[in-house]
Amino acid sequence: MKQDFYVVLGVQHDASETDIKKAYRKLAMECHPDRNNGDKAAEEKFKLVTEAYEVLRDPEKRAAYDRYGMAGVRGQGAPAGFSSTHFDLSEALMVFMRDFGLGGGGAFSGFDNLFGGGQRRERRRGHDVKVGLKLTLAEVATGTTKTVRIKSLEACTVCGGTGAKQGTQPVQCGTCGGSGELRHQAQSLFGQFLTVSPCPTCGGEGTVVRDPCERCGGEGRVKGEKTIQIDVPAGVADHHYLTLRGQGVPGPRNGPPGDLIAVLDIKEDPRFERHGDDLVYDLGITFTQAALGADVQVPTPYGQAKLRVESGTQTGMAYRLRNKGLPRLGEAGHGDLHVRVHVWTPNKLTAEQRKLLEKLGEIEDPVPEEPGGSNFWDTVRRALGLEEEHEPRPRRRRGGEE
Ligand SMILES: [Zn+2]
Ligand SMILES: [Zn+2]
């Protein structure tokens, strides 16, 4: 499903964060499942507007989306284990609650059911870990697996992550009576209702540690290091990021782990200019090669390729090697490699070369003139039946061609 998130939220491309928040809240209120008696279409819309909101409210994700579209934020076609921002209903509801704080009861009484009988006891989640992942263009061309070592925390083996001293168990929290939450009456858009917030004593866990574990001091986790393998799909771009769910820091006392976020840093290959999936290579040829034609070798990310330079080739002309560009992320096929030709004029001549060139000079034809003087090079290209493109630009082609 191709959806423009700006259209989904009905905001302009330069909308501020406040505009986005406002637009989302209005839409989310309208299509909230609790107000639509479980209507499927409303539920789908709720998930979609929430997804759009989650991307556009986050400057980093929004920038990636603006640049690469869905591929920038969803990691389409990425191997299993990579997250997408595609929400299920409970995740979408959490986003809505997180930002608009509308807890159980009142107009949204349905929430309690969604969270299992009103008990919102939850374990605290560990932090996300961000790592930079350096890649070469050759690795982007083929896809690769990188191994990273991260210093982080790991579950304490002495207490098994509970934080309680060996032989003891965490006990029920006195502040919240074990429910993990505190309830208050509050005013909201829909009148008075109950808000629910996590218990400050136990952090929402419902239990506290009386006798802390000696190794971890009650945290349930200790310093550690781990090695993680990250599969990088082919065709990724600089600043893309991959999210590995659950590979971040473990939560305190067996809380759920955060995510590992790998931000890609792609080293430029001096041989190529990258335009999306397409690459541009500058090829120097001699003027005899240009005049007579020649078979030359050009580098590609996949090794050398043969290119036939046609006789009469001019500086500025471009040849296209189809499918020798980078793989399209999340799609079949490859971009193209454009070879831009530059004719090299020798700046040193031997006596023999000079003599031959002088001889040629006596019999060669002048440069043809174009009536009106416009677009001379286009005329040349057309006359020679060569590719007309000059400035290669990335193009999106989907399946079926060739
Ligand atoms: Zn411990
Ligand atoms: Zn508590």
Side-chain angles (χ1 to χ4, degrees), residues 243-255:
T243 306
L244 280 78
R245 282 272 148 93
Q247 297 283 0
V249 180
R253 303 212 281 134
N254 287 332

Side-chain angles (χ1 to χ4, degrees), residues 156 158-159 163 213 215-216 220:
C156 171
V158 174
C159 60
C213 163
R215 178 153 184 244
C216 64

Side-chain angles (χ1 to χ4, degrees), residues 1-256:
M1 182 167 57
K2 293 273 164 203
Q3 291 276 6
D4 183 326
F5 284 161
Y6 292 95
V7 175
V8 166
L9 291 183
V11 295
Q12 299 293 317
H13 277 251
D14 58 359
S16 68
E17 279 181 61
T18 317
D19 294 341
I20 287 165
K21 202 164 178 175
K22 249 189 223 162
Y24 168 65
R25 189 168 77 161
K26 183 165 177 292
L27 287 167
M29 291 288 192
E30 283 164 17
C31 56
H32 195 288
D34 278 3
R35 310 185 86 202
N36 291 279
N37 296 319
D39 176 65
K40 277 285 158 204
E43 181 182 313
E44 284 309 310
K45 187 168 178 210
F46 182 72
K47 288 194 284 189
L48 181 65
V49 296
T50 305
E51 179 181 8
Y53 169 68
E54 270 297 85
V55 169
L56 298 186
R57 63 174 271 281
D58 178 323
E60 215 169 275
K61 286 186 194 165
R62 184 174 174 181
Y65 178 76
D66 287 345
R67 248 177 114 183
Y68 307 107
M70 291 296 186
V73 292
R74 268 194 187 162
Q76 281 179 338
F82 286 97
S83 77
S84 70
T85 53
H86 218 42
F87 292 124
D88 63 29
L89 181 60
S90 64
E91 284 173 314
L93 288 168
M94 298 251 225
V95 167
F96 182 70
M97 285 218 307
R98 177 197 69 203
D99 287 9
F100 299 100
L102 299 167
F108 291 104
S109 54
F111 280 142
D112 276 355
N113 296 331
L114 284 159
F115 289 102
Q119 290 261 312
R120 292 215 305 143
R121 209 185 312 175
E122 52 188 50
R123 308 229 151 243
R124 279 173 292 158
R125 184 175 175 274
H127 293 292
D128 293 342
V129 177
K130 216 176 206 181
V131 292
L133 211 55
K134 288 197 193 309
L135 298 170
T136 64
L137 200 68
E139 288 171 326
V140 171
T142 54
T144 185
T145 301
K146 292 297 234 187
T147 305
V148 292
R149 221 173 147 63
I150 55 170
K151 284 195 171 116
S152 157
L153 297 168
E154 59 188 19
C156 171
T157 48
V158 174
C159 60
T162 65
K165 195 172 178 170
Q166 266 181 310
T168 72
Q169 290 294 324
V171 296
Q172 199 178 71
C173 169
T175 309
C176 62
S179 70
E181 64 188 19
L182 297 179
R183 294 170 169 248
H184 313 270
Q185 286 288 115
Q187 285 298 125
S188 84
L189 293 169
F190 303 114
Q192 199 179 51
F193 72 101
L194 209 57
T195 60
V196 182
S197 56
C199 167
T201 306
C202 61
E205 289 177 49
T207 58
V208 289
V209 171
R210 280 274 154 73
D211 299 306
C213 163
E214 277 159 17
R215 178 153 184 244
C216 64
E219 260 283 290
R221 35 182 207 175
V222 291
K223 278 191 182 146
E225 254 187 19
K226 64 175 170 178
T227 304
I228 296 172
Q229 301 230 314
I230 303 177
D231 289 321
V232 182
V236 289
D238 209 18
H239 306 306
H240 272 180
Y241 52 89
L242 303 168
T243 306
L244 280 78
R245 282 272 148 93
Q247 297 283 0
V249 180
R253 303 212 281 134
N254 287 332

